[in-house]
PDB file of all heavy atoms in Angstrom:
ATOM      1  N   SER A1453     137.151  43.279 -25.674  1.00 94.00           N
ATOM      2  CA  SER A1453     136.297  43.471 -26.841  1.00 94.00           C
ATOM      3  C   SER A1453     137.120  43.841 -28.056  1.00 94.00           C
ATOM      4  O   SER A1453     136.901  43.297 -29.184  1.00 94.00           O
ATOM      5  CB  SER A1453     135.250  44.548 -26.571  1.00 94.00           C
ATOM      6  OG  SER A1453     134.359  44.126 -25.600  1.00 94.00           O
ATOM      7  N   LEU A1454     138.077  44.741 -27.860  1.00 95.00           N
ATOM      8  CA  LEU A1454     138.914  45.163 -28.998  1.00 95.00           C
ATOM      9  C   LEU A1454     139.816  44.022 -29.475  1.00 95.00           C
ATOM     10  O   LEU A1454     139.921  43.809 -30.701  1.00 95.00           O
ATOM     11  CB  LEU A1454     139.770  46.346 -28.577  1.00 95.00           C
ATOM     12  CG  LEU A1454     138.995  47.658 -28.343  1.00 95.00           C
ATOM     13  CD1 LEU A1454     139.879  48.675 -27.629  1.00 95.00           C
ATOM     14  CD2 LEU A1454     138.506  48.217 -29.659  1.00 95.00           C
ATOM     15  N   PHE A1455     140.332  43.239 -28.545  1.00 94.00           N
ATOM     16  CA  PHE A1455     141.138  42.079 -28.923  1.00 94.00           C
ATOM     17  C   PHE A1455     140.318  41.091 -29.757  1.00 94.00           C
ATOM     18  O   PHE A1455     140.757  40.602 -30.802  1.00 94.00           O
ATOM     19  CB  PHE A1455     141.711  41.414 -27.658  1.00 94.00           C
ATOM     20  CG  PHE A1455     142.436  40.121 -27.921  1.00 94.00           C
ATOM     21  CD1 PHE A1455     143.778  40.160 -28.364  1.00 94.00           C
ATOM     22  CD2 PHE A1455     141.861  38.900 -27.699  1.00 94.00           C
ATOM     23  CE1 PHE A1455     144.470  39.006 -28.597  1.00 94.00           C
ATOM     24  CE2 PHE A1455     142.543  37.727 -27.939  1.00 94.00           C
ATOM     25  CZ  PHE A1455     143.863  37.777 -28.428  1.00 94.00           C
ATOM     26  N   THR A1456     139.135  40.809 -29.289  1.00 95.00           N
ATOM     27  CA  THR A1456     138.261  39.850 -29.991  1.00 95.00           C
ATOM     28  C   THR A1456     137.807  40.391 -31.362  1.00 95.00           C
ATOM     29  O   THR A1456     137.920  39.667 -32.386  1.00 95.00           O
ATOM     30  CB  THR A1456     137.030  39.500 -29.136  1.00 95.00           C
ATOM     31  OG1 THR A1456     137.487  38.916 -27.905  1.00 95.00           O
ATOM     32  CG2 THR A1456     136.144  38.492 -29.795  1.00 95.00           C
ATOM     33  N   LEU A1457     137.395  41.637 -31.411  1.00 95.00           N
ATOM     34  CA  LEU A1457     136.953  42.187 -32.671  1.00 95.00           C
ATOM     35  C   LEU A1457     138.061  42.321 -33.724  1.00 95.00           C
ATOM     36  O   LEU A1457     137.777  42.192 -34.897  1.00 95.00           O
ATOM     37  CB  LEU A1457     136.275  43.568 -32.435  1.00 95.00           C
ATOM     38  CG  LEU A1457     134.874  43.546 -31.929  1.00 95.00           C
ATOM     39  CD1 LEU A1457     134.408  44.956 -31.586  1.00 95.00           C
ATOM     40  CD2 LEU A1457     133.942  42.894 -32.919  1.00 95.00           C
ATOM     41  N   ASN A1458     139.271  42.500 -33.269  1.00 94.00           N
ATOM     42  CA  ASN A1458     140.394  42.576 -34.205  1.00 94.00           C
ATOM     43  C   ASN A1458     140.599  41.264 -34.960  1.00 94.00           C
ATOM     44  O   ASN A1458     141.211  41.282 -36.034  1.00 94.00           O
ATOM     45  CB  ASN A1458     141.666  43.056 -33.561  1.00 94.00           C
ATOM     46  CG  ASN A1458     141.702  44.617 -33.560  1.00 94.00           C
ATOM     47  OD1 ASN A1458     141.555  45.228 -34.615  1.00 94.00           O
ATOM     48  ND2 ASN A1458     141.868  45.207 -32.376  1.00 94.00           N
ATOM     49  N   LYS A1459     140.094  40.174 -34.437  1.00 93.00           N
ATOM     50  CA  LYS A1459     140.118  38.909 -35.177  1.00 93.00           C
ATOM     51  C   LYS A1459     139.285  39.000 -36.438  1.00 93.00           C
ATOM     52  O   LYS A1459     139.584  38.358 -37.414  1.00 93.00           O
ATOM     53  CB  LYS A1459     139.700  37.765 -34.249  1.00 93.00           C
ATOM     54  CG  LYS A1459     140.674  37.472 -33.126  1.00 93.00           C
ATOM     55  CD  LYS A1459     140.130  36.402 -32.204  1.00 93.00           C
ATOM     56  CE  LYS A1459     141.085  36.193 -31.062  1.00 93.00           C
ATOM     57  NZ  LYS A1459     142.031  35.089 -31.274  1.00 93.00           N
ATOM     58  N   SER A1460     138.219  39.808 -36.379  1.00 95.00           N
ATOM     59  CA  SER A1460     137.373  40.009 -37.563  1.00 95.00           C
ATOM     60  C   SER A1460     138.173  40.736 -38.621  1.00 95.00           C
ATOM     61  O   SER A1460     138.051  40.422 -39.804  1.00 95.00           O
ATOM     62  CB  SER A1460     136.157  40.836 -37.221  1.00 95.00           C
ATOM     63  OG  SER A1460     135.255  40.175 -36.411  1.00 95.00           O
ATOM     64  N   ARG A1461     138.984  41.706 -38.221  1.00 93.00           N
ATOM     65  CA  ARG A1461     139.805  42.436 -39.173  1.00 93.00           C
ATOM     66  C   ARG A1461     140.755  41.481 -39.934  1.00 93.00           C
ATOM     67  O   ARG A1461     140.843  41.490 -41.167  1.00 93.00           O
ATOM     68  CB  ARG A1461     140.625  43.524 -38.489  1.00 93.00           C
ATOM     69  CG  ARG A1461     141.532  44.289 -39.410  1.00 93.00           C
ATOM     70  CD  ARG A1461     142.399  45.295 -38.689  1.00 93.00           C
ATOM     71  NE  ARG A1461     141.658  46.175 -37.780  1.00 93.00           N
ATOM     72  CZ  ARG A1461     140.804  47.123 -38.142  1.00 93.00           C
ATOM     73  NH1 ARG A1461     140.593  47.337 -39.420  1.00 93.00           N
ATOM     74  NH2 ARG A1461     140.170  47.845 -37.274  1.00 93.00           N
ATOM     75  N   ILE A1462     141.427  40.636 -39.193  1.00 91.00           N
ATOM     76  CA  ILE A1462     142.366  39.658 -39.803  1.00 91.00           C
ATOM     77  C   ILE A1462     141.602  38.769 -40.771  1.00 91.00           C
ATOM     78  O   ILE A1462     142.039  38.497 -41.892  1.00 91.00           O
ATOM     79  CB  ILE A1462     143.073  38.847 -38.728  1.00 91.00           C
ATOM     80  CG1 ILE A1462     143.984  39.795 -37.891  1.00 91.00           C
ATOM     81  CG2 ILE A1462     143.894  37.674 -39.302  1.00 91.00           C
ATOM     82  CD1 ILE A1462     144.485  39.212 -36.579  1.00 91.00           C
ATOM     83  N   LEU A1463     140.441  38.266 -40.339  1.00 93.00           N
ATOM     84  CA  LEU A1463     139.658  37.406 -41.171  1.00 93.00           C
ATOM     85  C   LEU A1463     139.220  38.129 -42.459  1.00 93.00           C
ATOM     86  O   LEU A1463     139.373  37.613 -43.571  1.00 93.00           O
ATOM     87  CB  LEU A1463     138.395  36.970 -40.412  1.00 93.00           C
ATOM     88  CG  LEU A1463     137.332  36.191 -41.212  1.00 93.00           C
ATOM     89  CD1 LEU A1463     137.880  34.875 -41.704  1.00 93.00           C
ATOM     90  CD2 LEU A1463     136.085  35.975 -40.353  1.00 93.00           C
ATOM     91  N   VAL A1484     129.601  33.517 -43.703  1.00 96.00           N
ATOM     92  CA  VAL A1484     130.536  34.200 -42.791  1.00 96.00           C
ATOM     93  C   VAL A1484     130.078  35.653 -42.657  1.00 96.00           C
ATOM     94  O   VAL A1484     129.990  36.225 -41.568  1.00 96.00           O
ATOM     95  CB  VAL A1484     131.996  34.133 -43.326  1.00 96.00           C
ATOM     96  CG1 VAL A1484     132.897  34.996 -42.520  1.00 96.00           C
ATOM     97  CG2 VAL A1484     132.467  32.663 -43.327  1.00 96.00           C
ATOM     98  N   HIS A1487     127.219  36.358 -40.269  1.00 96.00           N
ATOM     99  CA  HIS A1487     127.636  36.333 -38.830  1.00 96.00           C
ATOM    100  C   HIS A1487     128.447  37.565 -38.493  1.00 96.00           C
ATOM    101  O   HIS A1487     128.268  38.120 -37.389  1.00 96.00           O
ATOM    102  CB  HIS A1487     128.418  35.020 -38.549  1.00 96.00           C
ATOM    103  CG  HIS A1487     127.533  33.852 -38.587  1.00 96.00           C
ATOM    104  ND1 HIS A1487     126.733  33.454 -37.505  1.00 96.00           N
ATOM    105  CD2 HIS A1487     127.276  32.951 -39.575  1.00 96.00           C
ATOM    106  CE1 HIS A1487     126.068  32.393 -37.776  1.00 96.00           C
ATOM    107  NE2 HIS A1487     126.341  32.040 -39.071  1.00 96.00           N
ATOM    108  N   ILE A1488     129.324  38.000 -39.342  1.00 97.00           N
ATOM    109  CA  ILE A1488     130.077  39.242 -39.102  1.00 97.00           C
ATOM    110  C   ILE A1488     129.114  40.426 -38.999  1.00 97.00           C
ATOM    111  O   ILE A1488     129.197  41.221 -38.058  1.00 97.00           O
ATOM    112  CB  ILE A1488     131.134  39.507 -40.232  1.00 97.00           C
ATOM    113  CG1 ILE A1488     132.229  38.440 -40.226  1.00 97.00           C
ATOM    114  CG2 ILE A1488     131.715  40.912 -40.095  1.00 97.00           C
ATOM    115  CD1 ILE A1488     133.121  38.454 -38.994  1.00 97.00           C
ATOM    116  N   ILE A1491     127.345  40.287 -35.635  1.00 96.00           N
ATOM    117  CA  ILE A1491     128.242  40.686 -34.515  1.00 96.00           C
ATOM    118  C   ILE A1491     128.328  42.219 -34.505  1.00 96.00           C
ATOM    119  O   ILE A1491     128.165  42.832 -33.408  1.00 96.00           O
ATOM    120  CB  ILE A1491     129.641  40.078 -34.741  1.00 96.00           C
ATOM    121  CG1 ILE A1491     129.635  38.579 -34.514  1.00 96.00           C
ATOM    122  CG2 ILE A1491     130.663  40.780 -33.831  1.00 96.00           C
ATOM    123  CD1 ILE A1491     130.876  37.855 -35.041  1.00 96.00           C
ATOM    124  N   LEU A1492     128.558  42.813 -35.644  1.00 96.00           N
ATOM    125  CA  LEU A1492     128.743  44.267 -35.686  1.00 96.00           C
ATOM    126  C   LEU A1492     127.461  44.990 -35.428  1.00 96.00           C
ATOM    127  O   LEU A1492     127.473  46.054 -34.755  1.00 96.00           O
ATOM    128  CB  LEU A1492     129.353  44.685 -37.023  1.00 96.00           C
ATOM    129  CG  LEU A1492     130.756  44.091 -37.270  1.00 96.00           C
ATOM    130  CD1 LEU A1492     131.269  44.454 -38.674  1.00 96.00           C
ATOM    131  CD2 LEU A1492     131.775  44.503 -36.217  1.00 96.00           C
ATOM    132  N   TYR A1495     127.041  45.156 -31.609  1.00 96.00           N
ATOM    133  CA  TYR A1495     127.873  46.234 -31.068  1.00 96.00           C
ATOM    134  C   TYR A1495     127.329  47.609 -31.400  1.00 96.00           C
ATOM    135  O   TYR A1495     127.231  48.483 -30.536  1.00 96.00           O
ATOM    136  CB  TYR A1495     129.326  46.146 -31.522  1.00 96.00           C
ATOM    137  CG  TYR A1495     130.167  45.271 -30.656  1.00 96.00           C
ATOM    138  CD1 TYR A1495     130.487  43.972 -30.981  1.00 96.00           C
ATOM    139  CD2 TYR A1495     130.763  45.762 -29.461  1.00 96.00           C
ATOM    140  CE1 TYR A1495     131.255  43.129 -30.204  1.00 96.00           C
ATOM    141  CE2 TYR A1495     131.566  44.950 -28.673  1.00 96.00           C
ATOM    142  CZ  TYR A1495     131.797  43.648 -29.032  1.00 96.00           C
ATOM    143  OH  TYR A1495     132.588  42.868 -28.242  1.00 96.00           O
ATOM    144  N   LEU A1528     133.372  47.613 -39.152  1.00 97.00           N
ATOM    145  CA  LEU A1528     134.216  47.155 -38.038  1.00 97.00           C
ATOM    146  C   LEU A1528     134.990  48.322 -37.497  1.00 97.00           C
ATOM    147  O   LEU A1528     135.055  48.573 -36.265  1.00 97.00           O
ATOM    148  CB  LEU A1528     135.135  46.036 -38.464  1.00 97.00           C
ATOM    149  CG  LEU A1528     136.197  45.602 -37.507  1.00 97.00           C
ATOM    150  CD1 LEU A1528     135.539  44.987 -36.233  1.00 97.00           C
ATOM    151  CD2 LEU A1528     137.136  44.593 -38.152  1.00 97.00           C
ATOM    152  N   ASN A1572     131.114  40.544 -26.159  1.00 95.00           N
ATOM    153  CA  ASN A1572     132.354  39.819 -26.433  1.00 95.00           C
ATOM    154  C   ASN A1572     132.104  38.327 -26.503  1.00 95.00           C
ATOM    155  O   ASN A1572     132.563  37.648 -27.439  1.00 95.00           O
ATOM    156  CB  ASN A1572     133.381  40.174 -25.376  1.00 95.00           C
ATOM    157  CG  ASN A1572     134.739  39.675 -25.746  1.00 95.00           C
ATOM    158  OD1 ASN A1572     135.300  40.039 -26.737  1.00 95.00           O
ATOM    159  ND2 ASN A1572     135.335  38.843 -24.852  1.00 95.00           N
ATOM    160  N   SER A1573     131.358  37.795 -25.557  1.00 93.00           N
ATOM    161  CA  SER A1573     131.062  36.365 -25.540  1.00 93.00           C
ATOM    162  C   SER A1573     130.214  35.999 -26.773  1.00 93.00           C
ATOM    163  O   SER A1573     130.423  34.926 -27.382  1.00 93.00           O
ATOM    164  CB  SER A1573     130.305  35.972 -24.292  1.00 93.00           C
ATOM    165  OG  SER A1573     131.153  36.070 -23.153  1.00 93.00           O
ATOM    166  N   HIS A1574     129.310  36.860 -27.116  1.00 94.00           N
ATOM    167  CA  HIS A1574     128.436  36.648 -28.297  1.00 94.00           C
ATOM    168  C   HIS A1574     129.301  36.601 -29.534  1.00 94.00           C
ATOM    169  O   HIS A1574     129.067  35.708 -30.430  1.00 94.00           O
ATOM    170  CB  HIS A1574     127.410  37.821 -28.343  1.00 94.00           C
ATOM    171  CG  HIS A1574     126.592  37.858 -29.526  1.00 94.00           C
ATOM    172  ND1 HIS A1574     126.775  38.748 -30.551  1.00 94.00           N
ATOM    173  CD2 HIS A1574     125.473  37.133 -29.873  1.00 94.00           C
ATOM    174  CE1 HIS A1574     125.852  38.587 -31.493  1.00 94.00           C
ATOM    175  NE2 HIS A1574     125.057  37.605 -31.081  1.00 94.00           N
ATOM    176  N   THR A1575     130.283  37.433 -29.626  1.00 95.00           N
ATOM    177  CA  THR A1575     131.208  37.478 -30.778  1.00 95.00           C
ATOM    178  C   THR A1575     131.962  36.163 -30.853  1.00 95.00           C
ATOM    179  O   THR A1575     132.041  35.557 -31.961  1.00 95.00           O
ATOM    180  CB  THR A1575     132.179  38.683 -30.648  1.00 95.00           C
ATOM    181  OG1 THR A1575     131.389  39.864 -30.697  1.00 95.00           O
ATOM    182  CG2 THR A1575     133.160  38.673 -31.834  1.00 95.00           C
ATOM    183  N   ILE A1576     132.517  35.705 -29.766  1.00 94.00           N
ATOM    184  CA  ILE A1576     133.289  34.466 -29.765  1.00 94.00           C
ATOM    185  C   ILE A1576     132.391  33.264 -30.177  1.00 94.00           C
ATOM    186  O   ILE A1576     132.771  32.405 -30.972  1.00 94.00           O
ATOM    187  CB  ILE A1576     133.930  34.207 -28.375  1.00 94.00           C
ATOM    188  CG1 ILE A1576     134.990  35.273 -28.129  1.00 94.00           C
ATOM    189  CG2 ILE A1576     134.503  32.805 -28.272  1.00 94.00           C
ATOM    190  CD1 ILE A1576     135.501  35.342 -26.675  1.00 94.00           C
ATOM    191  N   HIS A1577     131.172  33.284 -29.727  1.00 93.00           N
ATOM    192  CA  HIS A1577     130.198  32.249 -30.102  1.00 93.00           C
ATOM    193  C   HIS A1577     129.992  32.234 -31.621  1.00 93.00           C
ATOM    194  O   HIS A1577     130.036  31.192 -32.253  1.00 93.00           O
ATOM    195  CB  HIS A1577     128.870  32.485 -29.374  1.00 93.00           C
ATOM    196  CG  HIS A1577     127.704  31.791 -29.990  1.00 93.00           C
ATOM    197  ND1 HIS A1577     127.479  30.476 -29.833  1.00 93.00           N
ATOM    198  CD2 HIS A1577     126.669  32.299 -30.747  1.00 93.00           C
ATOM    199  CE1 HIS A1577     126.315  30.165 -30.483  1.00 93.00           C
ATOM    200  NE2 HIS A1577     125.861  31.245 -31.015  1.00 93.00           N
ATOM    201  N   HIS A1578     129.842  33.429 -32.204  1.00 94.00           N
ATOM    202  CA  HIS A1578     129.654  33.460 -33.665  1.00 94.00           C
ATOM    203  C   HIS A1578     130.941  33.117 -34.408  1.00 94.00           C
ATOM    204  O   HIS A1578     130.918  32.579 -35.510  1.00 94.00           O
ATOM    205  CB  HIS A1578     129.075  34.825 -34.083  1.00 94.00           C
ATOM    206  CG  HIS A1578     127.598  34.860 -33.882  1.00 94.00           C
ATOM    207  ND1 HIS A1578     126.732  34.395 -34.806  1.00 94.00           N
ATOM    208  CD2 HIS A1578     126.863  35.300 -32.841  1.00 94.00           C
ATOM    209  CE1 HIS A1578     125.493  34.509 -34.383  1.00 94.00           C
ATOM    210  NE2 HIS A1578     125.526  35.065 -33.148  1.00 94.00           N
ATOM    211  N   TYR A1579     132.079  33.428 -33.839  1.00 94.00           N
ATOM    212  CA  TYR A1579     133.365  33.021 -34.422  1.00 94.00           C
ATOM    213  C   TYR A1579     133.429  31.479 -34.523  1.00 94.00           C
ATOM    214  O   TYR A1579     133.969  30.959 -35.478  1.00 94.00           O
ATOM    215  CB  TYR A1579     134.558  33.497 -33.613  1.00 94.00           C
ATOM    216  CG  TYR A1579     134.886  34.986 -33.808  1.00 94.00           C
ATOM    217  CD1 TYR A1579     135.868  35.555 -32.988  1.00 94.00           C
ATOM    218  CD2 TYR A1579     134.282  35.795 -34.763  1.00 94.00           C
ATOM    219  CE1 TYR A1579     136.236  36.882 -33.122  1.00 94.00           C
ATOM    220  CE2 TYR A1579     134.628  37.142 -34.917  1.00 94.00           C
ATOM    221  CZ  TYR A1579     135.585  37.685 -34.094  1.00 94.00           C
ATOM    222  OH  TYR A1579     135.935  38.993 -34.232  1.00 94.00           O
ATOM    223  N   ALA A1580     132.858  30.788 -33.576  1.00 91.00           N
ATOM    224  CA  ALA A1580     132.835  29.319 -33.602  1.00 91.00           C
ATOM    225  C   ALA A1580     132.026  28.853 -34.800  1.00 91.00           C
ATOM    226  O   ALA A1580     132.448  27.935 -35.541  1.00 91.00           O
ATOM    227  CB  ALA A1580     132.287  28.727 -32.283  1.00 91.00           C
ATOM    228  N   ILE A1581     130.914  29.481 -35.043  1.00 94.00           N
ATOM    229  CA  ILE A1581     130.093  29.137 -36.203  1.00 94.00           C
ATOM    230  C   ILE A1581     130.799  29.492 -37.473  1.00 94.00           C
ATOM    231  O   ILE A1581     130.825  28.700 -38.463  1.00 94.00           O
ATOM    232  CB  ILE A1581     128.705  29.846 -36.126  1.00 94.00           C
ATOM    233  CG1 ILE A1581     127.950  29.400 -34.855  1.00 94.00           C
ATOM    234  CG2 ILE A1581     127.892  29.562 -37.372  1.00 94.00           C
ATOM    235  CD1 ILE A1581     126.754  30.286 -34.518  1.00 94.00           C
ATOM    236  N   ILE A1582     131.433  30.654 -37.506  1.00 94.00           N
ATOM    237  CA  ILE A1582     132.207  31.089 -38.678  1.00 94.00           C
ATOM    238  C   ILE A1582     133.317  30.075 -38.945  1.00 94.00           C
ATOM    239  O   ILE A1582     133.586  29.694 -40.104  1.00 94.00           O
ATOM    240  CB  ILE A1582     132.806  32.493 -38.461  1.00 94.00           C
ATOM    241  CG1 ILE A1582     131.662  33.538 -38.541  1.00 94.00           C
ATOM    242  CG2 ILE A1582     133.878  32.812 -39.507  1.00 94.00           C
ATOM    243  CD1 ILE A1582     132.094  34.933 -38.090  1.00 94.00           C
ATOM    244  N   SER A1583     133.965  29.589 -37.924  1.00 92.00           N
ATOM    245  CA  SER A1583     135.040  28.637 -38.036  1.00 92.00           C
ATOM    246  C   SER A1583     134.548  27.369 -38.709  1.00 92.00           C
ATOM    247  O   SER A1583     135.206  26.807 -39.576  1.00 92.00           O
ATOM    248  CB  SER A1583     135.579  28.268 -36.614  1.00 92.00           C
ATOM    249  OG  SER A1583     136.941  28.281 -36.627  1.00 92.00           O
ATOM    250  N   TYR A1584     133.368  26.902 -38.354  1.00 93.00           N
ATOM    251  CA  TYR A1584     132.740  25.738 -38.958  1.00 93.00           C
ATOM    252  C   TYR A1584     132.519  25.997 -40.456  1.00 93.00           C
ATOM    253  O   TYR A1584     132.848  25.137 -41.312  1.00 93.00           O
ATOM    254  CB  TYR A1584     131.442  25.430 -38.253  1.00 93.00           C
ATOM    255  CG  TYR A1584     130.639  24.367 -38.936  1.00 93.00           C
ATOM    256  CD1 TYR A1584     130.931  22.983 -38.754  1.00 93.00           C
ATOM    257  CD2 TYR A1584     129.558  24.666 -39.744  1.00 93.00           C
ATOM    258  CE1 TYR A1584     130.197  22.001 -39.425  1.00 93.00           C
ATOM    259  CE2 TYR A1584     128.818  23.683 -40.431  1.00 93.00           C
ATOM    260  CZ  TYR A1584     129.147  22.371 -40.224  1.00 93.00           C
ATOM    261  OH  TYR A1584     128.414  21.393 -40.860  1.00 93.00           O
ATOM    262  N   ILE A1585     131.948  27.162 -40.768  1.00 95.00           N
ATOM    263  CA  ILE A1585     131.676  27.479 -42.174  1.00 95.00           C
ATOM    264  C   ILE A1585     132.985  27.549 -42.980  1.00 95.00           C
ATOM    265  O   ILE A1585     133.064  27.004 -44.057  1.00 95.00           O
ATOM    266  CB  ILE A1585     130.910  28.844 -42.272  1.00 95.00           C
ATOM    267  CG1 ILE A1585     129.519  28.724 -41.663  1.00 95.00           C
ATOM    268  CG2 ILE A1585     130.812  29.292 -43.755  1.00 95.00           C
ATOM    269  CD1 ILE A1585     128.817  30.037 -41.482  1.00 95.00           C
ATOM    270  N   LEU A1586     134.000  28.196 -42.394  1.00 94.00           N
ATOM    271  CA  LEU A1586     135.313  28.302 -43.109  1.00 94.00           C
ATOM    272  C   LEU A1586     135.915  26.942 -43.372  1.00 94.00           C
ATOM    273  O   LEU A1586     136.465  26.717 -44.449  1.00 94.00           O
ATOM    274  CB  LEU A1586     136.295  29.189 -42.282  1.00 94.00           C
ATOM    275  CG  LEU A1586     135.919  30.677 -42.211  1.00 94.00           C
ATOM    276  CD1 LEU A1586     136.842  31.384 -41.242  1.00 94.00           C
ATOM    277  CD2 LEU A1586     135.909  31.319 -43.599  1.00 94.00           C
ATOM    278  N   ILE A1593     142.203  29.436 -40.999  1.00 83.00           N
ATOM    279  CA  ILE A1593     142.511  30.605 -40.174  1.00 83.00           C
ATOM    280  C   ILE A1593     143.781  30.308 -39.433  1.00 83.00           C
ATOM    281  O   ILE A1593     143.900  29.257 -38.801  1.00 83.00           O
ATOM    282  CB  ILE A1593     141.381  30.892 -39.143  1.00 83.00           C
ATOM    283  CG1 ILE A1593     140.052  31.123 -39.860  1.00 83.00           C
ATOM    284  CG2 ILE A1593     141.716  32.025 -38.271  1.00 83.00           C
ATOM    285  CD1 ILE A1593     139.960  32.491 -40.488  1.00 83.00           C
ATOM    286  N   ASP A1595     144.821  31.211 -36.651  1.00 80.00           N
ATOM    287  CA  ASP A1595     144.657  31.589 -35.260  1.00 80.00           C
ATOM    288  C   ASP A1595     144.002  30.422 -34.564  1.00 80.00           C
ATOM    289  O   ASP A1595     142.751  30.171 -34.694  1.00 80.00           O
ATOM    290  CB  ASP A1595     143.767  32.861 -35.173  1.00 80.00           C
ATOM    291  CG  ASP A1595     143.514  33.353 -33.742  1.00 80.00           C
ATOM    292  OD1 ASP A1595     143.798  32.571 -32.788  1.00 80.00           O
ATOM    293  OD2 ASP A1595     143.006  34.464 -33.586  1.00 80.00           O
ATOM    294  N   THR A1597     143.010  30.106 -31.680  1.00 76.00           N
ATOM    295  CA  THR A1597     142.006  30.507 -30.648  1.00 76.00           C
ATOM    296  C   THR A1597     140.742  31.061 -31.271  1.00 76.00           C
ATOM    297  O   THR A1597     139.800  31.354 -30.534  1.00 76.00           O
ATOM    298  CB  THR A1597     142.599  31.582 -29.711  1.00 76.00           C
ATOM    299  OG1 THR A1597     142.862  32.786 -30.424  1.00 76.00           O
ATOM    300  CG2 THR A1597     143.882  31.058 -29.002  1.00 76.00           C
ATOM    301  N   PHE A1598     140.685  31.183 -32.602  1.00 77.00           N
ATOM    302  CA  PHE A1598     139.513  31.738 -33.245  1.00 77.00           C
ATOM    303  C   PHE A1598     138.309  30.848 -33.027  1.00 77.00           C
ATOM    304  O   PHE A1598     138.324  29.666 -33.330  1.00 77.00           O
ATOM    305  CB  PHE A1598     139.771  31.890 -34.747  1.00 77.00           C
ATOM    306  CG  PHE A1598     138.697  32.639 -35.471  1.00 77.00           C
ATOM    307  CD1 PHE A1598     138.696  34.028 -35.517  1.00 77.00           C
ATOM    308  CD2 PHE A1598     137.638  31.953 -36.077  1.00 77.00           C
ATOM    309  CE1 PHE A1598     137.689  34.728 -36.179  1.00 77.00           C
ATOM    310  CE2 PHE A1598     136.642  32.654 -36.766  1.00 77.00           C
ATOM    311  CZ  PHE A1598     136.625  34.036 -36.806  1.00 77.00           C
ATOM    312  N   GLY A1599     137.257  31.421 -32.413  1.00 79.00           N
ATOM    313  CA  GLY A1599     136.069  30.656 -32.146  1.00 79.00           C
ATOM    314  C   GLY A1599     136.055  29.844 -30.871  1.00 79.00           C
ATOM    315  O   GLY A1599     135.092  29.163 -30.563  1.00 79.00           O
ATOM    316  N   TYR A1600     137.106  29.982 -30.082  1.00 75.00           N
ATOM    317  CA  TYR A1600     137.165  29.259 -28.793  1.00 75.00           C
ATOM    318  C   TYR A1600     137.058  30.242 -27.669  1.00 75.00           C
ATOM    319  O   TYR A1600     137.774  31.265 -27.605  1.00 75.00           O
ATOM    320  CB  TYR A1600     138.482  28.509 -28.661  1.00 75.00           C
ATOM    321  CG  TYR A1600     138.536  27.262 -29.496  1.00 75.00           C
ATOM    322  CD1 TYR A1600     139.088  27.263 -30.753  1.00 75.00           C
ATOM    323  CD2 TYR A1600     138.038  26.039 -29.030  1.00 75.00           C
ATOM    324  CE1 TYR A1600     139.122  26.123 -31.549  1.00 75.00           C
ATOM    325  CE2 TYR A1600     138.075  24.904 -29.782  1.00 75.00           C
ATOM    326  CZ  TYR A1600     138.615  24.951 -31.049  1.00 75.00           C
ATOM    327  OH  TYR A1600     138.663  23.817 -31.812  1.00 75.00           O
ATOM    328  N   ASN A1601     136.149  30.000 -26.736  1.00 77.00           N
ATOM    329  CA  ASN A1601     136.052  30.801 -25.533  1.00 77.00           C
ATOM    330  C   ASN A1601     137.321  30.566 -24.738  1.00 77.00           C
ATOM    331  O   ASN A1601     137.768  29.421 -24.651  1.00 77.00           O
ATOM    332  CB  ASN A1601     134.813  30.376 -24.756  1.00 77.00           C
ATOM    333  CG  ASN A1601     134.548  31.295 -23.592  1.00 77.00           C
ATOM    334  OD1 ASN A1601     135.365  31.437 -22.678  1.00 77.00           O
ATOM    335  ND2 ASN A1601     133.394  31.954 -23.595  1.00 77.00           N
TER     336      ASN A1601
END
Side-chain angles (χ1 to χ4, degrees):
S1453 292
L1454 291 166
F1455 175 78
T1456 300
L1457 281 174
N1458 273 306
K1459 292 175 183 265
S1460 291
R1461 178 183 311 289
I1462 295 164
L1463 173 64
V1484 170
H1487 289 278
I1488 294 293
I1491 290 165
L1492 298 176
Y1495 272 99
L1528 173 64
N1572 191 58
S1573 292
H1574 174 256
T1575 299
I1576 294 168
H1577 161 76
H1578 279 276
Y1579 283 173
I1581 298 166
I1582 289 169
S1583 225
Y1584 171 81
I1585 295 168
L1586 291 174
I1593 300 284
D1595 180 349
T1597 66
F1598 188 85
Y1600 286 92
N1601 189 299

